[in-house]
Amino acid sequence: MNLVLFILFVVGLGWLKTTTSTSFNHQLVEGGGEASNGKCLDEERRALLYFKAYIHQIHNDPLPTWTTEEEKATNDCCKWQGVTCNEQTGHVTGLDLNFMVIEGKISPSLLNLSYLEHLDISHNSFHGAIPMFIGSLTKLRYLDLSDNFLYGTIPRSIGALTELRHLDLSKNFLLNGTIPLEIQNLTNLKVISLRSLNSFTVENLDWLYHMSQLEDLTMDGISLGKADNWVNVILSLRKLSFLSLDECDLSEVMHPYSNSSANFSFPSIVSLGLGNNNLNSSMFHWLFPLTTNRLEILDLSGNKLHGFPKYFGNLCGLKELHLENNSVTIKFSDLLNNISGCTSVTLEELNALRSQFTGSLPDDIQRFSSLGFLQLSKNKLNGTISEKVWLLPNLEILDVSSNSLTGVISENIGKTKSLTIDLSDNMFKGVPSEAHMSNLSSVESINLSSCKLGPRFPKWIQALTNLIYLDIANTKISDTIPVEFWNMWSSQLEILNISSNNITGEVTDLSSNFNRGLITTIDLSSNNFYGVISDVFSSLSWLDLSKNKFYGGISFLCQIVDGTLSFLDLSHNSFTGKIPDCLWHFKELRVLNLAKNNLYGSLPASIEYLINIEALYLFNNNLSGELPLSLKNCTSLTFLELGSNKFSGYVPAWIGGKLSNLYALILSSNNFFGTIPLQLCQLVNLQILDLSMNNLNGTIPSCLSNLSMMVQDGHPPNQIIHYYHWGSSFSDQREYVDRALMRWQGNVQELTSTLELVRCIDLSSNSLTGQIPYELTVLYGLIVLNLSNNALLGEIPSKIGQMKDLQHLDLSRNNISGQLPSSMSQMSFLNYLDVSYNNLSGRIPSSTQLQSFESSTYIGNVGLCGRPLTEDCSGDKESNVPPLVSQSGGGAEGIDELKRWFYIGGASGFVTGFWMACGALLLNRRGRYVFFHFLDIFKDWVYVRVMMLISKLQSFLFIWCIFMYV
């Protein structure tokens, strides 16, 4: 018994010692003592490791320095990546994991970091709801959860974070609901960013009245359409300097401002953004109290403003005015007049890109002495540029491109201090003398494309020694380029575009002039350059040498190793040899065009690395072999053009399963054999299928009716344009439009911008057998159907007439039998038809459209009859012979005879006049089709009335002529 008591005593004493020690140490830590020596506490280290267990990063350890207890070298969590500790207590006070590319959920272990003041996990892929426990981190002063995939609502517990100064929940697109009322408890907030919470609706902003310390408020994308008196709320925030309410439905607010309220003072707003709110000029009455001389940046872009008030000219602190994408026509001179007060002295940037400004650049521009950036591109300016523009002392960037400005550029251009000049896509007649243009030696970027500079190559360009951007495309130059041009700007140029001229000269070295450290663009297309390309540099992003006379191999492509190339066009030249097997460098390549050269051999295995390729053009070469299986890795392909080569083998079935984004598949004029794989029917986005001129056999798959893009009415999605950043500037964007050679109305044509409207199936010139599947007739949107030069049997599907959008139908040179279906008379848009050399029989259906084609359309069908063929159908001759009435005498019989001859004479005169009028109509194809389409619609109505008017007439020809006249 005594032994038991002794043991209990010892255990109790030990427990008491441990408890006392722990309590003492805890008190030291609480009081900021020395217990931890600045090292993190075990409990908080474990909390961080639990946090790490909730996240991951594909292929990598997301936080490699966060280790377990066994790895003593990095056991101090205060030294871990993204972790900040109090140097004295060791408590974790900050967790900054932004841009770590990690995903997962927010771990509840954060609750154990009770001293956390700074939490930033922005720009990652965290998902799940914002946890309720977030309100327990009461020491938080900075909370940034932006740019993740958090969903649900903002928890009401967030109102407990009364120490919070910075709150950012932006760009969590799945968050919904509304802002909880408890947020008004965060009275110490200085920054609130709720941008792009597009599912949020806020009925009022009264909760902001409690946030007197607020300096920065961003609510872009949140609907404020019901927030009456929101202007009054903003005016109550005396310290607010930054306000952004872009795309907030402000035009729907019934009463944005009440001037009867006195609960506000003059605002201190420095930057005000109200863009994309569909506002009109009625907004200026409530904008006025928000604007003072403190305002430096005003963004009203993307609205419908009819003009600008005079008080804009009194904003004496305004430096930036953004008016881009304004959708109402305004005279540019009116704008300058209304902002020409003290604003004209301070304004440094005026951006009106893609607006509706008209008129010229007037002399009034000289008042804006501080202007350094003037962006007027893509407006409707239609006058001249004042010579005063070039005398603005601080102007560095001038862009008036894509307008209708005219006249000759002033000689004062030689006096400008601008670094960037863009006058492209206007109607300028030319530039001043070489002496004046040579003075632009400080210019770094000049774009004069579509201005008239030729016919001589402008020598003044060689004086612009600081150029990094030169664009003189389509400037009517027809001359030999100076040899020294190719080494004038050693390792300096970023963009060179001299395309669409008639410039000649040998080009061998494309490396010396260009900046090897930056993304670079070269466009020499559509000229007469020649030579063997031997050197290029590694950081090219855009290379276009198409439509020239270059020759030799293309192994120089292997020098482009930096992986930035996104566009490559070498088409329409005389390049020879094989495609080099070094395409693993081109993982960013989106368009590859090697068409119309003399390349041969099979496709290289490294084509599998073109994982971002969207359009691949290889047509009209001598390429051979089977399509490599590695091509199936190019899953981003939308356009595949391999026609006019010597490819062989089966049409790969994997195209249907792996290249599901294709809208155009062109394999024509090759040596493919076998049947058409059923898997092609899975290409639901397909608009163009061209397998013509191969050795295919078997039947036409009936499942082609699954090609739903050929069924839909209306315009398909715009897939034919590929957009690129032009050079290293993300503000410059260029587009490349797909193009395809197609047989259209009997001729081969290259289609570009109209390609998006084309829906085509061309299986012609193969050895296909069987019947035309009746299922094809559900492809209501089909424009071109060409099944000619096969061995098809059976009849034309009876419902083919329901393909009313069909414009080109070629079924010639088959073994098709039976009659032309009567439903074909409904095909009013048909402007090319060929059913020649089949076994068709019977009458050609009566239709103004079908009768308008030449007889060659129907030739070679011995059983066909009726117009426009000369063969009459049985019974036609009898019905065409008028009965002879040989009655003589006077009275009523004489009157009948007179009537008969009157009608015959009138009919013959009418026929002559009718064919004189219709002859012109027949020569005008477009007019003919419109006319006949209209006539078909009213055929029945007209026919009834004609029969009533001419019921006594018995001649079929006479009846037909009167019918056509009416």
Side-chain angles (χ1 to χ4, degrees):
M1 182 69 178
N2 292 334
L3 181 61
V4 173
L5 289 174
F6 178 77
I7 294 173
L8 289 174
F9 175 77
V10 172
V11 171
L13 192 62
W15 174 83
L16 181 61
K17 179 181 179 182
T18 302
T19 303
T20 305
S21 175
T22 302
S23 176
F24 179 71
N25 287 336
H26 181 67
Q27 289 175 9
L28 284 176
V29 172
E30 282 280 318
E34 301 283 334
S36 72
N37 295 319
K39 293 183 178 180
C40 76
L41 305 177
D42 289 342
E43 182 182 4
E44 296 188 355
R45 181 178 61 251
R46 287 193 295 270
L48 291 174
L49 291 174
Y50 281 129
F51 179 87
K52 179 180 178 180
Y54 272 68
I55 62 177
H56 67 278
Q57 188 178 53
I58 299 176
H59 304 309
N60 293 302
D61 183 349
L63 298 167
T65 60
W66 292 28
T67 58
T68 60
E69 293 185 48
E70 290 76 15
E71 301 176 57
K72 300 298 183 182
T74 54
N75 200 28
D76 184 4
C77 68
C78 293
K79 298 180 180 179
W80 290 354
Q81 181 182 6
V83 178
T84 303
C85 294
N86 185 294
E87 293 181 357
Q88 296 175 339
T89 66
H91 284 298
V92 175
T93 58
L95 194 57
D96 195 338
L97 304 178
N98 61 344
F99 290 102
M100 294 290 292
V101 198
I102 54 180
E103 55 183 322
K105 292 187 176 182
I106 301 175
S107 168
S109 66
L110 288 180
L111 275 171
N112 292 326
L113 304 179
S114 55
Y115 289 84
L116 198 63
E117 298 178 1
H118 183 109
L119 177 59
D120 186 349
I121 58 172
S122 62
H123 302 92
N124 286 296
S125 297
F126 283 95
H127 56 270
I130 299 176
M132 292 290 294
F133 69 74
I134 201 75
S136 300
L137 301 176
T138 55
K139 294 187 182 298
L140 274 180
R141 299 169 64 91
Y142 187 104
L143 177 61
D144 191 344
L145 307 179
S146 64
D147 205 359
N148 281 289
F149 295 98
L150 301 174
Y151 55 77
T153 60
I154 299 175
R156 298 171 60 183
S157 62
I158 203 170
L161 304 179
T162 55
E163 296 296 319
L164 209 59
R165 268 63 170 175
H166 182 110
L167 174 62
D168 192 346
L169 305 178
S170 301
K171 298 183 73 173
N172 283 286
F173 301 104
L174 301 178
L175 284 177
N176 56 58
T178 189
I179 297 173
L181 186 61
E182 286 77 7
I183 202 172
Q184 67 185 3
N185 298 332
L186 309 183
T187 56
N188 290 310
L189 270 177
K190 293 185 177 181
V191 176
I192 300 179
S193 184
L194 304 174
R195 180 165 51 96
S196 300
L197 303 183
N198 298 330
S199 298
F200 266 72
T201 300
V202 177
E203 296 195 359
N204 66 71
L205 295 178
D206 291 349
W207 47 274
L208 285 172
Y209 278 123
H210 302 270
M211 299 183 180
S212 59
Q213 304 301 311
L214 200 61
E215 299 175 1
D216 188 324
L217 175 60
T218 302
M219 298 181 68
D220 299 349
I222 293 182
S223 177
L224 301 178
K226 298 181 180 180
D228 282 346
N229 297 320
W230 69 267
V231 175
N232 299 78
V233 177
I234 298 302
L235 291 173
S236 71
L237 304 175
R238 299 182 180 183
K239 294 186 177 181
L240 191 67
S241 61
F242 182 95
L243 175 63
S244 184
L245 301 178
D246 189 271
E247 202 172 357
C248 289
D249 299 326
L250 296 182
S251 63
E252 299 177 11
V253 181
M254 297 294 294
H255 306 288
Y257 172 58
S258 172
N259 56 14
S260 61
S261 174
N263 188 26
F264 64 85
S265 59
F266 289 108
S268 58
I269 298 176
V270 174
S271 177
L272 177 58
L274 301 173
N276 301 296
N277 278 292
N278 205 31
L279 296 166
N280 56 38
S281 295
S282 65
M283 58 97 67
F284 291 127
H285 80 281
W286 55 256
L287 178 64
F288 177 75
L290 293 173
T291 56
T292 67
N293 287 340
R294 296 179 181 177
L295 188 65
E296 296 182 3
I297 301 172
L298 178 59
D299 186 351
L300 300 177
S301 59
N303 286 296
K304 298 179 178 180
L305 306 176
H306 294 78
F308 300 93
K310 286 284 188 179
Y311 71 76
F312 272 29
N314 298 322
L315 301 178
C316 299
L318 194 64
K319 295 181 179 179
E320 295 182 21
L321 180 58
H322 296 268
L323 305 173
E324 52 263 46
N325 296 305
N326 189 58
S327 58
V328 180
T329 300
I330 306 174
K331 287 185 177 181
F332 185 63
S333 58
D334 290 344
L335 170 67
L336 293 183
N337 183 54
N338 287 351
I339 62 174
S340 60
C342 60
T343 302
S344 64
V345 179
T346 60
L347 195 65
E348 299 175 359
E349 179 175 336
L350 176 57
N351 190 341
L353 174 70
R354 287 188 298 268
S355 291
Q356 304 291 316
F357 285 107
T358 62
S360 62
L361 261 69
D363 290 346
D364 290 344
I365 197 73
Q366 65 183 324
R367 301 178 185 176
F368 295 82
S369 57
S370 297
L371 199 62
F373 179 96
L374 180 58
Q375 171 59 273
L376 296 173
S377 177
K378 299 180 180 178
N379 277 271
K380 295 182 178 179
L381 299 176
N382 52 8
T384 59
I385 294 182
S386 168
E387 61 182 19
K388 307 294 185 182
V389 170
W390 308 111
L391 302 179
L392 290 172
N394 295 297
L395 190 64
E396 293 186 356
I397 298 176
L398 172 66
D399 189 348
V400 293
S401 61
S402 301
N403 283 285
S404 299
L405 294 167
T406 58
V408 178
I409 300 170
S410 168
E411 294 180 352
N412 281 343
I413 191 173
K415 300 177 181 180
T416 185
K417 297 180 180 179
S418 297
L419 301 179
T420 298
I421 299 174
D422 192 341
L423 308 180
S424 61
D425 297 314
N426 282 285
M427 296 183 287
F428 296 120
K429 296 179 181 178
V431 297
S433 66
E434 181 178 339
H436 292 93
M437 295 301 292
S438 297
N439 289 332
L440 297 174
S441 58
S442 62
V443 168
E444 297 177 356
S445 172
I446 188 165
N447 188 343
L448 299 175
S449 65
S450 299
C451 299
K452 187 180 184 302
L453 300 182
R456 297 297 183 187
F457 192 89
K459 293 183 178 181
W460 52 263
I461 289 178
Q462 300 178 52
L464 309 186
T465 55
N466 289 313
L467 275 184
I468 60 174
Y469 184 128
L470 174 62
D471 191 337
I472 53 172
N474 190 30
T475 51
K476 296 181 171 57
I477 299 174
S478 182
D479 197 4
T480 300
I481 196 167
V483 176
E484 58 271 20
F485 178 87
W486 299 110
N487 54 18
M488 284 185 52
W489 302 282
S490 179
S491 301
Q492 181 175 316
L493 279 181
E494 295 177 20
I495 296 177
L496 173 64
N497 185 6
I498 55 178
S499 64
S500 301
N501 284 291
N502 189 26
I503 305 173
T504 186
E506 185 174 9
V507 180
T508 58
D509 186 355
L510 289 177
S511 62
S512 60
N513 259 334
F514 301 95
N515 193 327
R516 295 174 179 268
L518 293 174
I519 298 173
T520 310
T521 298
I522 301 176
D523 191 346
L524 309 183
S525 62
S526 301
N527 280 289
N528 287 308
F529 291 117
Y530 60 90
V532 176
I533 303 298
S534 58
D535 291 306
V536 295
F537 56 97
S538 60
S539 59
L540 271 172
S541 65
W542 177 294
L543 179 61
D544 192 346
L545 305 180
S546 63
K547 297 180 180 178
N548 280 287
K549 298 177 180 178
F550 293 112
Y551 50 85
I554 59 173
S555 59
F556 62 86
L557 295 179
C558 297
Q559 300 174 24
I560 308 173
V561 296
D562 283 359
T564 57
L565 189 68
S566 61
F567 178 92
L568 176 62
D569 191 347
L570 306 180
S571 64
H572 298 262
N573 281 288
S574 299
F575 288 114
T576 58
K578 295 184 177 182
I579 300 175
D581 193 12
C582 58
L583 303 183
W584 50 77
H585 300 309
F586 301 157
K587 293 180 181 179
E588 298 300 321
L589 193 64
R590 294 169 60 192
V591 168
L592 174 59
N593 193 341
L594 303 177
K596 288 198 171 183
N597 281 288
N598 298 314
L599 302 173
Y600 58 83
S602 58
L603 296 183
S606 58
I607 200 169
E608 66 178 314
Y609 291 95
L610 304 182
I611 55 177
N612 287 306
I613 194 78
E614 296 172 0
L616 178 60
Y617 301 86
L618 300 176
F619 68 91
N620 209 342
N621 280 284
N622 291 307
L623 298 169
S624 58
E626 298 184 2
L627 297 186
L629 186 62
S630 57
L631 189 60
K632 71 179 183 180
N633 290 339
C634 305
T635 54
S636 297
L637 269 174
T638 60
F639 196 100
L640 181 59
E641 224 293 21
L642 306 180
S644 298
N645 279 287
K646 297 178 181 179
F647 290 115
S648 59
Y650 294 102
V651 175
W654 48 258
I655 290 180
K658 297 296 183 179
L659 306 184
S660 58
N661 292 315
L662 280 179
Y663 83 88
L665 175 61
I666 304 175
L667 305 179
S668 58
S669 300
N670 279 287
N671 298 318
F672 291 108
F673 55 80
T675 60
I676 300 174
L678 299 179
Q679 288 83 352
L680 295 187
C681 301
Q682 301 174 25
L683 299 173
V684 294
N685 295 309
L686 205 63
Q687 294 172 217
I688 300 171
L689 175 62
D690 189 350
L691 305 178
S692 62
M693 291 185 278
N694 280 284
N695 300 312
L696 301 176
N697 55 42
T699 60
I700 299 173
S702 60
C703 65
L704 290 180
S705 60
N706 295 336
L707 303 179
S708 56
M709 193 56 70
M710 299 187 186
V711 177
Q712 299 174 5
D713 294 327
H715 289 198
N718 191 344
Q719 304 179 88
I720 71 168
I721 301 179
H722 309 271
Y723 294 99
Y724 300 86
H725 293 300
W726 184 240
S728 58
S729 173
F730 285 93
S731 61
D732 292 329
Q733 184 170 267
R734 189 167 181 175
E735 62 185 38
Y736 181 81
V737 181
D738 286 332
R739 63 280 319 272
L741 290 174
M742 298 185 62
R743 279 185 294 282
W744 182 262
Q745 300 181 13
N747 299 310
V748 177
Q749 302 182 31
E750 183 178 67
L751 304 181
T752 53
S753 58
T754 58
L755 197 60
E756 65 177 330
L757 304 177
V758 175
R759 298 166 190 175
C760 165
I761 294 179
D762 190 345
L763 307 178
S764 62
S765 300
N766 282 287
S767 300
L768 299 174
T769 58
Q771 296 186 337
I772 302 173
Y774 72 89
E775 289 88 351
L776 292 185
T777 61
V778 305
L779 301 179
Y780 306 125
L782 202 64
I783 303 295
V784 177
L785 178 61
N786 191 346
L787 305 178
S788 63
N789 285 285
N790 280 289
L792 299 175
L793 301 166
E795 299 183 351
I796 300 173
S798 60
K799 294 183 178 180
I800 195 171
Q802 67 187 11
M803 303 171 73
K804 294 184 179 180
D805 286 344
L806 207 60
Q807 298 182 30
H808 180 114
L809 176 61
D810 193 344
L811 305 177
S812 63
R813 290 174 169 79
N814 281 285
N815 296 313
I816 301 172
S817 58
Q819 297 184 341
L820 291 174
S822 59
S823 66
M824 291 182 67
S825 60
Q826 305 171 23
M827 303 172 75
S828 53
F829 285 108
L830 200 63
N831 55 36
Y832 182 88
L833 174 66
D834 193 348
V835 293
S836 61
Y837 299 102
N838 280 286
N839 297 317
L840 297 169
S841 59
R843 183 190 298 274
I844 297 173
S846 178
S847 163
T848 53
Q849 195 73 356
L850 297 180
Q851 270 72 50
S852 68
F853 295 111
E854 300 291 337
S855 60
S856 58
T857 294
Y858 306 99
I859 197 171
N861 294 278
V862 293
L864 275 182
C865 60
R867 300 292 181 186
L869 296 176
T870 56
E871 293 81 2
D872 292 322
C873 298
S874 59
D876 285 354
K877 290 184 178 181
E878 291 78 2
S879 61
N880 286 335
V881 177
L884 296 176
V885 181
S886 56
Q887 297 175 336
S888 60
E893 293 176 349
I895 293 173
D896 289 341
E897 184 73 1
L898 181 61
K899 280 184 178 181
R900 186 165 67 86
W901 284 106
F902 172 79
Y903 288 139
I904 292 174
S908 60
F910 165 72
V911 168
T912 302
F914 171 77
W915 284 111
M916 287 177 65
C918 288
L921 191 60
L922 288 173
L923 293 175
N924 186 334
R925 177 175 292 181
R926 184 180 181 87
R928 179 172 78 248
Y929 298 147
V930 174
F931 175 77
F932 286 150
H933 180 56
F934 170 81
L935 206 59
D936 283 342
I937 295 175
F938 291 96
K939 181 173 62 178
D940 294 339
W941 183 86
V942 173
Y943 182 74
V944 171
R945 283 154 180 76
V946 169
M947 292 300 294
M948 293 175 63
L949 291 173
I950 60 174
S951 58
K952 293 183 180 182
L953 303 178
Q954 298 180 0
S955 171
F956 174 83
L957 178 62
F958 180 59
I959 293 174
W960 182 78
C961 292
I962 295 298
F963 167 67
M964 295 301 295
Y965 176 76
V966 176

